[in-house]
Amino acid sequence: MSYLLKRLRYFNSSSVFRTLAIAAAGSALLCSNGDTDFRASVKARILVPLQDPLPFPQHLDFSGVYGTLPLYSYRDIGSQTPSSDTTKDASAAAHHGGSNPCNCFERNTIADAAAKVGPAVVNIAVTHDYLGVTAAKSIGSGTIIDKDGTILTCAHVVVYFQGTSSLSKGKIEVTLQDGRSFEGKVINADLHSDIAIVKINSETPLPEVKLGSSSKLRPGDWVISLGCPLALQNTVTAGIVSCVDRKSSDLGFTGVNREYLQTDCATNVGNSGGPLVNIDGELVGVNHMKMFAADGLSFSVPIDSVSKIIEQFKKRGRVIRPWLGLKMLDLNDTLIAELKLRSATFPDVDKGILVPMVTPGSPGQRAGFRPGDVVIEFDGKPVQSMKEVIEVMEDRVGVPMKVVVKREGNKLVKLTVIPEESNPNI
């Protein structure tokens, strides 16, 4: 017999505010909307506090006493006997050694994926010294992606940036799940993507995580987050993918063009740089930030983007980003209809990329782009989003590219643009 509970929801409209916070010690981007959401369940449950909340530090520095956010648990009333189907699924999983031969979600699916990835998840502690005295210690997470000790993490966990140069925050101590500790060295770091590579030296091969594909994820897919939140090593949380292409502009970031995986996995300070994996135990994202004081809003850098950055690290030790000097806007049916209402001469298109602004003196201006142009073809390939243009350009700087645009009055114009390397300080 099941019990149907009404969904309880408390909302304080006066407490809506927006702040954004990077989920790593010492850095913050915070965002909250003041909602508290109690999920409905098929069991009758009583909400009881686990402990009284302690004051949470204002500065997110966890070198001393850690503050604790208010936590609650659900206590079940009574118990239910597992169905025969559940028992059969568990028996089948045990028979196959914990594998999932039917490719379905079972009781051990998350635990098996976490066990597969866990040994390669590391705690990264950075000691901040001043005149030889330890002033503070920041905590983050990372993932071993090669048996030689190559670790993937977030740049803000291990370095400071001054212009184009990155400076180590201090001595880096990397602790594995089995308790072994190594001194880490920053090999590469990229400011715009906030991705870094740390290296440790081990006499024996280390456990590694297989890189998956973030492009295969769909909203609703199960994912697992691992790391060291609040320095609590070997922490595992699970949730679903909420959005596969959350744009940085949606989060209030201006001047940058990034996309994140949005999930409802529980992440906290110290999770930054840790892995987001699928139920097959494959790395699909790097945990990056969360909406503080808003449950179920966490963001990760997609592994497909990270893989390209790693390739550039291997190729030239840094990331090169072509620059055109064009502001671009992806067109959709609604936007096209609105623009047609405002101007009858707006070109007849059903897709494409609008160029509302051209930077003076930029490669785009020299190529002949004009405000109002609609890009429909780039380097010989039909395009309908900025993401596709970026993928076509890759890291090609100084290479002429043919572009087809449609202008007012449906005039087709062919242009040739030569991308320049973007200024890392912008």
Side-chain angles (χ1 to χ4, degrees):
M1 180 176 181
S2 62
Y3 299 87
L4 179 63
L5 298 183
K6 291 184 178 179
R7 185 176 178 86
L8 300 178
R9 183 173 180 86
Y10 169 75
F11 177 75
N12 183 356
S13 58
S14 64
S15 65
V16 176
F17 64 92
R18 306 192 81 187
T19 339
L20 225 141
I22 296 180
S27 302
L29 257 190
L30 304 178
C31 192
S32 173
N33 62 4
D35 287 2
T36 303
D37 188 10
F38 297 92
R39 294 183 178 178
S41 171
V42 296
K43 296 181 182 180
R45 297 178 173 183
I46 299 175
L47 192 65
V48 292
L50 285 175
Q51 61 183 40
D52 293 329
L54 300 178
F56 191 75
Q58 300 278 334
H59 47 77
L60 298 181
D61 183 358
F62 291 87
S63 54
V65 179
Y66 293 83
T68 306
L69 292 172
L71 299 177
Y72 297 89
S73 72
Y74 291 106
R75 176 176 297 167
D76 291 341
I77 297 177
S79 61
Q80 295 183 348
T81 303
S83 67
S84 58
D85 290 341
T86 302
T87 305
K88 291 178 181 178
D89 290 343
S91 300
H95 177 73
H96 289 278
S99 64
N100 193 351
C102 65
N103 196 29
C104 54
F105 193 88
E106 300 174 342
R107 61 177 299 177
N108 294 322
T109 298
I110 292 177
D112 289 343
K116 181 178 180 180
V117 176
V121 181
V122 302
N123 181 328
I124 300 177
V126 182
T127 303
H128 307 260
D129 292 336
Y130 178 73
L131 298 178
V133 178
T134 299
K137 179 180 285 188
S138 58
I139 301 294
S141 305
T143 310
I144 302 175
I145 58 173
D146 195 295
K147 294 180 180 179
D148 65 359
T150 300
I151 297 172
L152 177 64
T153 187
C154 283
H156 70 261
V157 172
V158 292
V159 298
Y160 294 115
F161 283 98
Q162 292 184 352
T164 59
S165 302
S166 60
L167 303 174
S168 176
K169 285 185 174 182
K171 182 180 179 181
I172 300 173
E173 181 181 8
V174 178
T175 304
L176 275 60
Q177 188 186 58
D178 59 15
R180 287 182 293 167
S181 293
F182 301 86
E183 183 173 350
K185 179 182 178 181
V186 178
I187 304 300
N188 305 103
D190 179 58
L191 168 64
H192 287 277
S193 64
D194 198 22
I195 293 297
I197 296 295
V198 174
K199 184 74 165 58
I200 59 175
N201 296 317
S202 173
E203 295 180 355
T204 58
L206 296 171
E208 62 181 351
V209 172
K210 178 183 177 181
L211 302 189
S213 174
S214 53
S215 63
K216 295 180 180 179
L217 291 174
R218 300 177 301 165
D221 279 346
W222 280 95
V223 284
I224 306 159
S225 175
L226 299 91
C228 312
L230 308 182
L232 301 175
Q233 196 166 351
N234 306 330
T235 296
V236 178
T237 63
I240 62 169
V241 176
S242 305
C243 180
V244 296
D245 55 356
R246 178 63 64 201
K247 292 178 172 53
S248 53
S249 57
D250 295 340
L251 304 176
F253 296 135
T254 58
V256 294
N257 181 32
R258 303 176 192 164
E259 289 186 350
Y260 298 100
L261 297 173
Q262 179 183 330
T263 75
D264 68 348
C265 292
T267 57
N268 289 282
V269 174
N271 271 118
S272 273
L276 183 76
V277 302
N278 58 26
I279 58 175
D280 295 320
E282 298 172 334
L283 186 63
V284 294
V286 178
N287 293 327
H288 184 260
M289 60 186 175
K290 65 167 290 186
M291 294 293 190
F292 187 61
D295 294 335
L297 290 173
S298 301
F299 302 90
S300 304
V301 183
I303 197 61
D304 290 356
S305 300
V306 175
S307 296
K308 295 177 182 178
I309 292 168
I310 294 174
E311 286 302 314
Q312 291 212 45
F313 281 159
K314 292 178 180 179
K315 187 176 180 179
R316 56 177 64 88
R318 64 190 182 94
V319 179
I320 290 181
R321 293 179 173 85
W323 177 66
L324 299 177
L326 304 175
K327 184 176 179 62
M328 292 183 166
L329 182 65
D330 296 348
L331 290 175
N332 55 42
D333 293 340
T334 302
L335 186 56
I336 291 172
E338 184 177 344
L339 292 170
K340 292 287 284 184
L341 286 175
R342 294 185 180 185
S343 174
T345 60
F346 187 80
D348 294 327
V349 294
D350 55 8
K351 59 184 179 181
I353 311 158
L354 177 66
V355 179
M357 186 179 74
V358 181
T359 303
S362 66
Q365 185 190 49
R366 291 194 294 271
F369 280 92
R370 299 178 185 176
D373 284 350
V374 176
V375 179
I376 58 176
E377 190 175 299
F378 199 96
D379 199 32
K381 299 178 181 179
V383 292
Q384 51 184 317
S385 69
M386 291 182 290
K387 182 178 180 180
E388 292 176 337
V389 172
I390 293 172
E391 291 174 349
V392 169
M393 288 194 296
E394 296 180 331
D395 60 350
R396 293 185 292 170
V397 171
V399 179
M401 297 183 183
K402 303 293 184 180
V403 183
V404 177
V405 302
K406 208 168 189 180
R407 288 182 175 161
E408 290 184 340
N410 295 321
K411 182 180 180 181
L412 284 177
V413 179
K414 296 181 179 180
L415 305 173
T416 300
V417 63
I418 304 176
E420 297 178 357
E421 183 175 359
S422 65
N423 185 347
N425 293 318
I426 297 178

